[in-house]
Amino acid sequence: MESSTKQLVQEVLTGHEEAFERLVQPYFGPLYGFIFLLVRDRDMAEDVVQESFIKAWKHLNSFDTNQSFKTWLYTIAKHTAFDVLKKKKALPFSAFRDEEG
């Protein structure tokens, strides 16, 4: 992993929360593009990216600094997108008993 990324991770873990913005800022645009390709909805993509950053911040202490931060972040985002898509699944029409539901 790049030393500046490793340093930013360490800063965040030692309480410098503003370092988290510097850590994730370069990934916002590309991550949004990646998630948009999965969900095909602008608002949903923004929500997934935001939720992914929140999850990354909450679980940063479990990140292995010998691994790629980008891969770790994108994996979180991909799983978050899949979770959102699963929840969005439409109720099948056959689930209704009659016209009144």
Side-chain angles (χ1 to χ4, degrees):
M1 178 170 62
E2 199 175 294
S3 64
S4 62
T5 302
K6 194 172 192 174
Q7 181 181 356
L8 285 170
V9 168
Q10 291 304 319
E11 286 181 32
V12 174
L13 292 175
T14 58
H16 297 95
E17 293 179 13
E18 69 280 350
F20 186 74
E21 184 177 343
R22 292 193 321 265
L23 177 64
V24 299
Q25 193 277 329
Y27 300 103
F28 181 81
L31 187 63
Y32 174 83
F34 171 70
I35 294 302
F36 181 78
L37 289 174
L38 294 175
V39 300
R40 303 286 186 194
D41 178 277
R42 291 179 192 270
D43 292 333
M44 188 183 300
E46 288 176 8
D47 291 345
V48 168
V49 170
Q50 182 178 7
E51 182 66 25
S52 299
F53 286 143
I54 291 168
K55 287 180 180 180
W57 180 73
K58 286 182 178 178
H59 300 285
L60 191 61
N61 60 342
S62 68
F63 171 66
D64 180 358
T65 56
N66 294 316
Q67 302 299 318
S68 166
F69 180 77
K70 179 181 178 179
T71 301
W72 183 73
L73 180 61
Y74 273 60
T75 301
I76 290 171
K78 179 182 71 172
H79 289 293
T80 302
F82 289 163
D83 289 345
V84 167
L85 289 171
K86 284 180 200 174
K87 290 177 185 173
K88 186 184 173 195
K89 266 187 160 175
L91 182 64
F93 188 77
S94 61
F96 294 105
R97 287 182 253 143
D98 58 27
E99 289 179 343
E100 283 94 30

